[in-house]
Amino acid sequence: MGVTTDAAGAAGPWLVVGLGNPGPEYAMNRHNVGFMVADLLAERMGGRFKRAGKAQAQVVEGRIGPPGPANRRVVLAKPMSYMNLSGGPVNALREFYKVPAERVVAVHDELDIDYGTLRLKLGGGDNGHNGLKSLTKAFGREYHRARFGIGRPPGRMQVADFVLRDFSSAERKELDYFVDRAADAVECLVIEGLERAQSTYNS
């Protein structure tokens, strides 16, 4: 399950969704690491995000992987709704591009994983993440997740305050490396399948 065959690769695009909140005031928040990974993937593809018609999202269409059978068509998306309303824009894109749920990859922050740790999976619960909750309500739970660890809030800080704060100065020293690694993992998932990506990047 989750392994991409050449036939499946030729059948249609993957939809890779970075979850976050729109607006410059949120840009460096922990909750916006999905946007950061999507931005890097768009840069690698040589594309620029633009408004997706009537959908409340920005998209980049392109391809990743080497020329030949391993090359994959990908639609990158950043919902321009707020995090807890991500499901509507993502589902509209999914239906427009005719992408089945199992070819959707949601890139998101994860509280229950140490900072910088990456975990890839297919399906599962939302673990209290409002973006995932909205996606699951819109089209079910059988989509891929690239979970980027941000750790738990210190002391008695509320979760909502923690995720909506910028990465600390100490965290920012390694942030570019971890975002780069997460982008590598998403590319591996789409090109080589879930099992290969998990064995290479899950830690």
Side-chain angles (χ1 to χ4, degrees):
M1 186 175 288
V3 176
T4 306
T5 65
D6 291 345
W14 283 73
L15 177 59
V16 176
V17 181
L19 295 182
N21 288 308
E25 67 270 34
Y26 299 106
M28 290 303 296
N29 286 182
R30 293 180 178 91
H31 223 19
N32 268 45
V33 72
F35 274 18
M36 298 175 197
V37 175
D39 285 339
L40 179 57
L41 287 166
E43 183 181 320
R44 291 181 179 184
M45 287 166 52
R48 294 174 65 90
F49 279 101
K50 60 183 180 180
R51 199 77 180 197
K54 295 180 180 179
Q56 199 175 2
Q58 293 183 351
V59 301
V60 175
E61 297 182 49
R63 307 189 77 90
I64 62 172
N71 193 257
R72 302 282 180 251
R73 184 178 166 216
V74 172
V75 178
L76 295 176
K78 296 192 296 185
M80 291 291 107
S81 61
Y82 286 90
M83 178 72 83
N84 60 351
L85 299 174
S86 300
V90 174
N91 198 42
L93 292 172
R94 193 183 67 80
E95 292 180 344
F96 178 80
Y97 288 102
K98 298 179 173 58
V99 180
E102 64 270 16
R103 293 170 72 91
V104 175
V105 184
V107 187
H108 64 92
D109 57 305
E110 178 62 64
L111 284 161
D112 287 336
I113 302 176
D114 290 340
Y115 174 61
T117 299
L118 197 64
R119 300 275 171 78
L120 302 164
K121 63 183 287 192
L122 174 63
D126 57 62
N127 201 26
H129 192 287
N130 287 332
L132 297 184
K133 194 175 297 184
S134 183
L135 264 60
T136 297
K137 184 178 180 182
F139 55 88
R141 64 181 66 236
E142 290 304 305
Y143 54 92
H144 289 86
R145 300 103 188 274
R147 305 158 70 206
F148 187 110
I150 61 169
R152 301 294 302 183
R156 297 185 178 182
M157 184 185 293
Q158 295 295 310
V159 165
D161 293 333
F162 179 68
V163 300
L164 292 176
R165 287 195 180 184
D166 289 357
F167 285 101
S168 70
S169 56
E171 289 169 331
R172 285 198 296 271
K173 291 177 181 177
E174 295 185 292
L175 182 59
D176 286 349
Y177 168 76
F178 289 137
V179 168
D180 191 73
R181 189 169 183 272
D184 289 346
V186 171
E187 290 180 342
C188 183
L189 166 61
V190 171
I191 296 168
E192 300 187 64
L194 179 61
E195 289 182 12
R196 174 64 64 85
Q198 285 176 325
S199 67
T200 304
Y201 294 97
N202 276 18
S203 52

